[in-house]
């Protein structure tokens, strides 16, 4: 009884093994006749999702002005200290960066700066491949970072909301009342 | 002494302490906007609500408004209190402009902290936001009213604490506005504190506007070097430049605040004119070349004329470390000096002023605020030591009698009596008010026969001073002899520089003064001079005039003074911000200023305002300067001198390791030297020259700080009493030509009855240092058009 059982068990194992081998050979064979999935980079550059974290840009608000107000939040959030800047007051009263520098040789593309940016100025783009011969060339200045579009959020304008008189007078921002007349006693 | 329990921890506090302060003594910080230890409670913000579970008060109450009482059981994290505070923040944020990215307060904003810690993230209120128009409040304070939460801290500080009325609350209900009737610079010389006490970004620091975030700054405790009081400050530096100076709390000296002179005169350290490179015969060279040349030149003088032919001059603005190193250098070489003061009389006067402090008679600024009668003798508080005016104001608020006996016109934000008396009349006036018995009318008339207009005021003051239990005499060192023997009187000298007391402690009793050295140079006895952080022109015009007679002049400094221009060998030194140092203030309190700014040309100038240079391998520009004390040691090494290891403990009794954070009083005061003779009337008919400081740009450092210089009055003013002006045939507002030595200075005349008869008040500027002790019509002339 036990011997018979052993014989049938052995036979089944051999058959199963053969079926497994045949199945995998079949799978390999079918792939021989399929189109390859490998993309030949860099001949073919795959379109990346918009939120891929690659090279950083400084975007502009819908009116074409610089969005960056040099608030130092990105440089404060940066875990590798690759962002440095100096803020100043521009001729139109807007706070802006006198200079703004990102050292991409040091950047780890973590995106914390983008999360910290309160004006949606600093954005990471899908561009991830920008090799240089010299490491100093990875230091990008403000002129290199500024683009002439709004990036992922083309409609947002920080100065339309913030109640400071920079370009737009007090009381004319979104959701604001007329300025209080301090010399009137009318209710 | 009530006993109470806060968050399960028992605490005993003095009677009258509010619960919020009692909690703070346990390290429990209850959220607050309007309460401030120096300003007290207003109950305006409703942020400090806590739950009182047991005791005389029960329920949800504001911890700033409830004085601690026996048996109280307080819970700061009671769910009801937490919910209440969270809603208060949400209400305060309903009108907030949401502009933190462009707000300079961001990063050290109390409102931001409480909003985030309270968890308020989304504005639920659907209504529109209230807005205000802003004002231009002058060069120091930026106004952004939309951010205001109406805590009234600014108004309480500005009007109640400081006593100025041009800024305050207006309008009512939901429209309350903090500002001036019209745009214009704030009148208070303490206005810079508004940026410190405002818990939001409504009032921020204008000179530091858009410069940096708090978290990017290097910060270190520092000491203000702009007058002799030694107020505690915090210096903030970024990119090799001091960007801001703030008040630091020192309960014994300045309390919570500092004056605008101390706050805005830091620009000398990063000024473009600051000499940062060594020079040999006027030609820029390397530090090592200049040091070798200084050694060779001084060595040559010693070889040819002996060690006595070299002299050392220091000043009252150097740290104790520098002054000690100069002394060690002079001792090692057997040279003359160091001289720290203009003349022997001044040195003796400062030593006598310090000697008078022995026996526990010294008073601190905080103690002046608690005095019941204060006489300022030969001191103009707002100009000689601005924070003294704020302490006098606190004393006056508590009912103290304040009198200022000084030839210069005095304005103070408090009720006080001004006794405009010429310097030679001051000892007489002091005797009337500091005696144990009240002087009667006859004595007053005898003492001041020519000033009948002052008799009624003195008759009123004399009994008040005689009855005072805790009076203080604030005096200029020249009047040290007037310090009353009556131990009732506390003493508070006001000296002539941030470390004048240190200089008097370090200087030997028989050390030469600058005038002695000038005489020796004129006689050909001194051929080589080392000027360390001292400007001969400002210190002693006679010494400045004698400088060309020297064979070699070695100058160590960080200010572009006329002496720097005259130097044969120039060695750049570091500022207090870079090297740190110990300063000894007017009450002989030693305080340590920590280094905060790394040496070197500021990044802003290095990059010419744009991107800093990308050459990372180069040596940073402007990093040559060394601490003056280190330069002394290297110079001694160059000359093969064996410089003794000397610590300032040898002069002050307090070593560097013993200096406490709030300062430590020197234990070795000068043994009572012969007190200087009281000022006497000038011979002949002339007017006594009295020098007056302005709030800005008359102190040694402020003169070289661009921001402070911009605040200085454009034209120099000479002030005369109407009688004296009439005697000279001059009228108010007239353009004058003042002859100082062989130069002519243009000035305008201001005539005021607040000037003492027989005195001519001139600005304390180096250009005016050459005036004789008394001047007449040949010096003060109407300017010919």
């Amino acid at each position: 009884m036990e011997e018979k059982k052993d014989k049938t068990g052995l036979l089944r194992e051999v058959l199963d093994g053969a079926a497994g081998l045949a199945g995998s050979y079949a799978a390999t064979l079918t792939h021989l006749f399929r189109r390859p999935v490998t993309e030949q980079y860099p001949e073919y550059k795959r379109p990346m999702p918009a939120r891929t974290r690659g090279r950083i840009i400084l975007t502009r608000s819908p009116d074409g002005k610089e969005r960056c107000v040099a608030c130092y939040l990105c440089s404060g959030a940066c875990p590798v200290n690759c962002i440095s800047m100096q803020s100043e007051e521009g001729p139109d009263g807007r706070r802006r960066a006198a200079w703004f520098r990102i050292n991409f040789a040091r950047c780890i593309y973590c995106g914390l700066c983008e999360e910290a940016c309160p004006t949606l100025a600093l954005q990471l783009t899908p561009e991830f491949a920008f090799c240089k011969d010299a490491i100093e060339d990875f230091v990008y200045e403000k002129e290199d970072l500024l683009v002439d579009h709004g990036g992922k959020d083309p409609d947002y304008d920080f100065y339309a909301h913030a109640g400071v008189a920079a370009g737009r007078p007090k009381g004319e921002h979104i959701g604001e009342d007329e300025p209080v007349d301090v010399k009137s006693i009318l209710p | 002494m009530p006993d109470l329990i806060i968050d399960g921890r028992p605490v005993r506090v003095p009677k009258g302490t509010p619960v919020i302060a009692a909690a703070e003594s346990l390290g429990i910080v209850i959220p607050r906007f309007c309460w401030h230890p120096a300003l007290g409670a207003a109950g305006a913000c409703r942020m400090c609500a806590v739950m009182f579970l047991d005791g005389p008060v029960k329920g949800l109450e504001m911890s700033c408004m409830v004085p601690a009482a026996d048996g109280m059981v307080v819970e700061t994290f009671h769910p009801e209190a937490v919910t209440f505070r969270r809603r208060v923040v949400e209400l305060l944020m309903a009108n907030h402009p949401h502009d933190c990215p462009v707000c300079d307060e961001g990063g050290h904003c109390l409102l931001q902290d409480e909003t985030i810690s309270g968890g308020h993230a989304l504005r639920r209120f659907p209504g529109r936001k209230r807005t205000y128009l802003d004002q231009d409040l002058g060069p120091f304070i930026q106004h952004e009213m939309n951010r205001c939460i109406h805590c009234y801290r600014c108004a309480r500080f500005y009007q109640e604490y400081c006593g100025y009325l041009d800024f305050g609350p207006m309008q009512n209900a939901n429209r309350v506005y903090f500002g001036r009737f019209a745009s214009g610079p704030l009148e208070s010389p303490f206005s810079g504190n508004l940026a410190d006490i405002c818990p939001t970004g409504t009032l921020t620091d204008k000179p530091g506007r858009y410069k940096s975030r708090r978290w990017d700054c290097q910060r270190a405790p520092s000491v203000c070097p702009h007058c002799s009081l030694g107020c505690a400050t915090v210096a903030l530096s970024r990119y090799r430049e001091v960007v801001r100076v703030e008040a630091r709390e020192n309960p014994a000296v300045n309390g919570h605040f500092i004056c605008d002179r101390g706050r805005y005169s830091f620009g000398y350290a990063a000024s473009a004119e600051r000499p940062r490179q060594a020079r040999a015969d006027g030609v820029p060279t390397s530090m090592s070349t200049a040091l070798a040349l200084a050694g060779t030149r001084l060595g040559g003088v010693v070889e040819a004329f002996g060690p006595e032919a070299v002299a050392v001059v220091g000043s009252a603005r150097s740290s104790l470390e520098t002054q000690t190193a100069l002394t060690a250098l002079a001792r090692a070489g057997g040279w003359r000096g160091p001289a720290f003061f203009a003349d022997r009389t001044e040195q003796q006067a400062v030593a006598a002023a310090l000697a008078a402090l022995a026996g526990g008679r010294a008073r601190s600024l905080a103690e002046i605020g608690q005095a019941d009668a204060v006489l300022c003798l030969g001191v103009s508080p707002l100009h000689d030591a601005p924070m003294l005016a704020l302490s006098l104001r606190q004393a006056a608020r508590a009912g103290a009698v304040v009198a200022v006996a000084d030839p210069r016109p005095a304005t103070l934000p408090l009720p006080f009596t001004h006794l405009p008396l010429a310097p030679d009349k001051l000892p007489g006036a002091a005797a009337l008010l500091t005696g144990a018995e009240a002087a009667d009318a006859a004595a007053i008339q005898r003492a001041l026969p020519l000033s009948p207009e002052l008799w009624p005021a003195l008759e009123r003051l004399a009994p008040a001073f005689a009855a005072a239990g805790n009076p203080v005499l604030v005096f200029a060192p020249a009047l040290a002899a007037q310090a009353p023997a009556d131990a009732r009187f506390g003493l508070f000298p006001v000296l002539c520089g941030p470390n004048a007391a240190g200089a008097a402690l370090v200087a030997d009793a028989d050390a030469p003064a600058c005038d002695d050295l000038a005489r020796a140079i004129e006689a050909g006895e001194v051929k080589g001079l080392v000027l360390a952080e001292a400007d001969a022109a400002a210190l002693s015009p006679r010494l400045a005039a004698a400088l060309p007679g020297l064979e070699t002049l070695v100058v160590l400094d960080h200010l572009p003074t006329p002496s720097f221009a005259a130097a044969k060998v120039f060695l750049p030194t570091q500022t207090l911000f870079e090297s740190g140092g110990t300063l000894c203030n007017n009450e002989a309190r030693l305080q340590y200023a920590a280094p905060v700014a790394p040496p070197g040309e500021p990044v802003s100038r290095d990059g010419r305002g744009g991107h800093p240079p990308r050459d990372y391998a180069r040596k940073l520009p402007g990093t040559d300067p060394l601490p003056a004390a280190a330069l002394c040691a290297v110079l001694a090494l160059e000359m093969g001198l064996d410089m003794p290891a000397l610590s300032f403990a040898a002069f002050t009794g307090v070593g560097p390791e013993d200096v406490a954070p709030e300062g430590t009083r020197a234990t070795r005061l000068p043994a009572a030297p012969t007190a200087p003779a009281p000022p006497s009337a000038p011979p002949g008919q002339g007017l006594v020259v009295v020098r007056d400081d302005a709030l800005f740009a008359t102190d040694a450092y402020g003169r070289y700080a661009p921001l402070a210089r911009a605040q200085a009055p454009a034209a120099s003013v000479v002030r005369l009493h109407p009688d004296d002006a009439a005697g000279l045939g001059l009228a108010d507002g007239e353009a004058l030509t003042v002859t100082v030595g062989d130069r002519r200075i243009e000035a305008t005349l201001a005539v005021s009855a607040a000037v003492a008869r027989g005195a001519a008040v001139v600005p304390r500027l180096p250009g005016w240092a050459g005036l004789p002790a008394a001047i007449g019509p040949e010096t003060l002339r109407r300017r010919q058009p």
Side-chain angles (χ1 to χ4, degrees), chain A residues 69 71-73 75-76 84-89 93-95 98-101 118-119 136-137 139 141-144 158-159 161-165 170-171 175-187, chain B residues 97-104 123 127-134 142-147 170-172 174-177 181-182 209-213 215-216 238-239 603-604 609-614 616:
Chain A
V69 297
C71 68
Y72 296 98
L73 283 180
S75 62
S84 51
M85 77 190 85
Q86 177 61 53
S87 50
E88 67 170 15
E89 186 167 352
R94 283 168 71 128
R95 182 175 164 136
W99 53 269
F100 191 105
R101 180 180 277 180
T119 64
E136 304 91 76
D137 295 347
V139 179
E141 310 286 10
K142 185 174 156 186
E143 302 78 62
D144 313 321
F158 168 76
Y159 277 105
H161 297 269
V164 286
K170 290 278 182 85
E176 275 190 350
D177 260 339
E178 287 282 295
V180 167
D181 182 357
V182 289
K183 289 178 181 165
S184 162
I185 53 162
L186 293 174
Chain B
H98 293 91
D99 57 350
C100 297
V102 296
C103 175
D104 264 332
R123 187 173 185 261
R128 298 173 78 80
K129 293 179 189 176
R130 173 197 58 213
T131 59
Y132 296 103
L133 296 176
D134 304 322
Q142 180 76 29
H143 198 214
E144 190 61 59
M145 252 321 276
N146 281 359
R147 299 172 185 152
M170 286 178 258
Q171 262 291 7
N172 63 358
N174 190 32
R175 301 178 292 184
V176 172
Y177 184 84
F181 289 126
R209 181 166 155 87
Y210 294 171
K211 284 256 177 78
S212 64
R213 288 271 177 232
W215 62 71
D216 281 334
R238 177 165 172 271
Y239 284 159
V603 171
S604 58
H611 296 287
R614 281 240 215 120
Y616 301 123

Side-chain angles (χ1 to χ4, degrees), chain B residues 469-552:
Chain B
N470 182 18
V472 176
L473 177 71
V474 178
F475 62 101
L479 293 150
Q482 309 314 312
D486 186 353
R488 202 163 47 100
F489 269 87
L491 298 176
F492 189 83
V494 171
L495 308 178
C496 50
N499 202 17
L505 293 174
V506 170
D508 289 332
D510 56 346
C514 290
D515 279 3
D516 300 328
L517 295 181
R519 217 169 292 124
I521 297 170
E522 286 157 12
E525 294 162 13
V526 167
K527 294 286 183 188
L529 188 68
V530 180
L531 271 176
E533 295 179 352
D535 176 22
L539 208 54
S540 156
R542 192 168 169 190
L543 181 63
L547 292 183
L550 288 167
E551 290 208 346
T552 192

